[in-house]
Amino acid sequence: MSSAAARNDDPAPPPPGGVLWSLSGDVRALLMLPAALTLQVAHPAVGAGVDEHSVFRTDPWGRGERSLSSLQLWVYGGEQAAEEGRRLRRLHRAIQGTDTRGRRYHALSPANYAWVHATGFPVYRHGARYLLRPLTGDQERALYREWLQVGRVLGIHDRDMPRTIEEFWPYYRAMLADEIEKTAVVAELAATDTAVPPPDRGPWVLRLLLRALWPVLLPPLARFRAFLAVGLMPPDAREAIGLEWTDAQERALRRFCAVVRVVVPVLPGRLRYLPRARRARAARRAAGGRGGAVSG
């Protein structure tokens, strides 16, 4: 198939102004990412793949930057979205091995690839309740439809994902009951004493300063990452994995999120929205469109 024909057949990203378009470009979406990643790697095959093949330990800042850039392309990339999906599939073709239950796995096996994608929906839904506002029933349905569309961009076949939100929840509960577990990578992401190298991005003066202060900065940052990873995970998933969460932590999370809900909406656009999302919103306004389906 020619590249032109491939472009003509490419699935489109989710619609501008939709629920996902509004959520994923807001800086508050960054706070949801640790929970989403932790839930993904609770699958034995996904956890094994990340444990054995990912550079998240040796190059966490580079991996995080690349992952965030990829996610933004899925939603705001236009014609680049499908090409990013193809790039990801090429990247994952060689990832295979044996999981913690002794089963052979491949990163692109439909069940594994679909789970990695499926986790985004319950995490976005749950995170919005804390960091923005609860989604309405119609918004939840729209979010799920849009998440299925992102799945198509990533090359996930319709037959491999629940087709409706009503079909999603039985699938999700079965995965929690039968499949996910506290893998080694989950334990690492939920730990408060994980060794992480200092950032290697940004101006050299800032890098030098952070390197000097890193022994002091790392412990509270590691605790905060673990706090978000566990706290913003849907409670049923947290319980299924076996992650501890106390009433005191829940109160602290609610206080933190209350502050975030007040502060972020009054930030200037360059601070409130991620760069690609900010450009997409500006282009939409210039064309006469509105900001998005979710605010707050």
Side-chain angles (χ1 to χ4, degrees), residues 5 7 28 40 44 89 91 156 172 198 209 235 254 276 294:
R7 286 194 296 271
R28 286 169 285 190
Q40 289 172 8
R89 293 194 296 280
L91 183 67
I156 298 173
Y172 172 72
L209 180 62
R254 290 178 181 272
R276 193 175 291 275
V294 179

Side-chain angles (χ1 to χ4, degrees), residues 1 10 20 28 38-39 49 82-83 90 94 110 115 139 190 207 214 217 227 231 234 236 254 258 262 267 279-280:
M1 180 182 293
D10 284 344
L20 182 59
R28 286 169 285 190
T38 304
L39 184 53
E83 177 53 41
R90 291 193 298 268
W115 172 252
Q139 287 172 335
R207 295 200 306 270
W214 201 238
L217 295 176
F227 176 71
D236 50 359
R254 290 178 181 272
V262 171
L267 292 176
R279 293 192 294 271

Side-chain angles (χ1 to χ4, degrees), residues 145-165:
R145 289 193 302 271
E146 293 164 16
W147 202 236
L148 289 177
Q149 186 62 24
V150 170
R152 296 184 187 105
V153 168
L154 297 177
I156 298 173
H157 297 295
D158 285 355
R159 63 178 178 269
D160 296 324
M161 284 283 291
R163 301 310 313 139
T164 66
I165 196 171

Side-chain angles (χ1 to χ4, degrees), residues 160-207:
D160 296 324
M161 284 283 291
R163 301 310 313 139
T164 66
I165 196 171
E166 289 81 8
E167 294 174 4
F168 174 81
W169 293 116
Y171 156 80
Y172 172 72
R173 287 191 290 269
M175 292 295 291
L176 296 188
D178 302 330
E179 196 64 40
I180 70 167
E181 62 184 36
K182 190 175 183 180
T183 64
V185 183
V186 166
E188 199 166 332
L189 294 175
T192 59
D193 58 353
T194 304
V196 178
D200 56 1
R201 302 296 195 271
W204 68 269
V205 174
L206 179 60
R207 295 200 306 270

Side-chain angles (χ1 to χ4, degrees), residues 230-252:
V230 181
L232 288 178
M233 185 180 295
D236 50 359
R238 184 196 306 146
E239 182 178 351
I241 297 171
L243 296 172
E244 287 190 14
W245 188 249
T246 66
D247 291 342
Q249 287 174 309
E250 178 66 19
R251 290 192 294 271

Side-chain angles (χ1 to χ4, degrees), residues 30-229:
L30 297 177
L31 300 176
M32 305 180 201
L33 292 182
L37 176 59
T38 304
L39 184 53
Q40 289 172 8
V41 299
H43 189 294
V46 180
V50 170
D51 192 22
E52 296 167 6
H53 298 276
S54 175
V55 297
F56 82 98
R57 296 185 183 94
T58 56
D59 184 25
W61 303 101
R63 185 187 186 280
E65 182 179 68
R66 291 188 295 273
S67 296
L68 182 61
S69 175
S70 182
L71 190 155
Q72 295 290 290
L73 279 172
W74 308 345
V75 179
Y76 306 105
E79 292 183 356
Q80 297 178 64
E83 177 53 41
E84 177 63 10
R86 286 189 286 271
R87 186 192 72 83
L88 289 174
R89 293 194 296 280
R90 291 193 298 268
L91 183 67
H92 287 82
R93 281 174 187 161
I95 298 178
Q96 55 187 310
T98 304
D99 71 16
T100 57
R101 302 182 187 181
R103 303 173 300 190
R104 294 293 300 171
Y105 73 82
H106 190 287
L108 293 179
S109 295
N112 302 337
Y113 199 41
W115 172 252
V116 171
H117 181 59
T119 55
F121 172 68
V123 171
Y124 268 129
R125 174 182 177 269
H126 184 66
R129 292 171 60 93
Y130 281 73
L131 293 165
L132 290 94
R133 62 182 183 186
L135 301 178
T136 66
D138 287 345
Q139 287 172 335
E140 285 189 13
R141 290 175 183 277
L143 175 60
Y144 190 71
R145 289 193 302 271
E146 293 164 16
W147 202 236
L148 289 177
Q149 186 62 24
V150 170
R152 296 184 187 105
V153 168
L154 297 177
I156 298 173
H157 297 295
D158 285 355
R159 63 178 178 269
D160 296 324
M161 284 283 291
R163 301 310 313 139
T164 66
I165 196 171
E166 289 81 8
E167 294 174 4
F168 174 81
W169 293 116
Y171 156 80
Y172 172 72
R173 287 191 290 269
M175 292 295 291
L176 296 188
D178 302 330
E179 196 64 40
I180 70 167
E181 62 184 36
K182 190 175 183 180
T183 64
V185 183
V186 166
E188 199 166 332
L189 294 175
T192 59
D193 58 353
T194 304
V196 178
D200 56 1
R201 302 296 195 271
W204 68 269
V205 174
L206 179 60
R207 295 200 306 270
L208 287 177
L209 180 62
L210 288 172
R211 189 177 305 164
L213 295 175
W214 201 238
V216 176
L217 295 176
L218 177 57
L221 288 175
R223 289 193 295 271
F224 183 62
R225 184 193 66 175
F227 176 71
L228 293 177

